[in-house]
Amino acid sequence: MNNYKSGFVTLLGRPNVGKSTLINTLIGEKITITSPVAQTTRNKLRGILTTKTGQIIFVDTPGVHKPHHLLGEILVKNAKSAINGVDIVILVLDSSVEPGRGDEYIRDFLVENEIEFFVVLNKWDLVNKEFKNVRLDQYKKVFGSCKCFQIVSASEGVGCFELIEMILNFLPEGPMLFDEDIICDQPLDNLLSDLVREQVLINTREEVPHSVAVKIENIKEIKKDKGKKLTAILATIIVERTSQKGILIGKKGSMLKTIGQTARSNMKKLINGPVHLELFVKVIPNWRKKESKLMEFGYEIDY
Ligand code: GDP
Ligand code: MG
């Protein structure tokens, strides 16, 4: 095809500004984990949007933040390495709050490394009507000199069409890099375990979230009558302490049931068919400090 465009676009930004939500909206399917709890995106996940005129490969990254332990360090390293070799870097900002030190830290990092970037001001729906001008001024002051500046609301889809046009305009000419029906380059295991992890993060409070990993032990397709298929999935939720295991299981198993039901319903959408999900909880003390465990549970380690 003539003049077809393709390229890689990295989304950077503090945790929780809406990077994963934005990718999901732009692609139109739920492939990346979003959560009200910060720091939930594990790997450099690539979501792929194919249109008639171009193919955009989005690289979702964990938020850039100050590392606290090994897992944190790996998340940050991955975010920084995701900038290398991409065609466009997009800095995503949360307009529901004032520009902060974290945003400036990332801006300075990009400027120091002579990386040009787009700015996307997200969560515009959360800014009061009469306050929108003030908020825009605040952000223009800090980021106004950037190449492109787009206001969006990722959860409502506002401004997303314009953003896609802007990206396609800027991308170099190139071939389709993935088949047009592929929306994500992550293995199914990772997507499935993220759907369980997402529900753990949403349903439990502070005690649990950051010390949870999910491992898909087994995926089996079971043939039923009349050619119908059922996907049976066995997953283990790993925590660091026995007390966390108790919280996850809940009274008479109620918490685990809630987590399982919602995760299963999202899995059904992803797989496009019925799912049977079995969940177990296992304690592995200090798994986050063990590199072998990080790899086993699906964290990519970039050196
Ligand atoms: P990430 O850490 O940058 O990937 O952020 P997420 O995509 O996980 O989003 C963090 C939270 O912000 C989630 O609860 C989202 O539902 C919410 N969120 C994201 N975009 C918007 C938006 O445009 N408007 C509103 N109101 N909430 C949003
Ligand atoms: Mg995310």
Side-chain angles (χ1 to χ4, degrees), residues 112-129:
E112 272 162 31
N113 289 278
E114 295 177 4
I115 293 160
E116 282 191 293
F117 55 98
F118 290 8
V119 170
V120 165
L121 195 53
N122 188 31
K123 305 199 189 183
W124 196 237
D125 56 294
L126 291 180
V127 184
N128 281 336
K129 218 173 168 185

Side-chain angles (χ1 to χ4, degrees), residues 19-20 32-33 40-41 60-61:
K19 299 178 292 297
S20 302
T32 107
I33 165 169
T40 50
T41 307
D60 190 12
T61 60

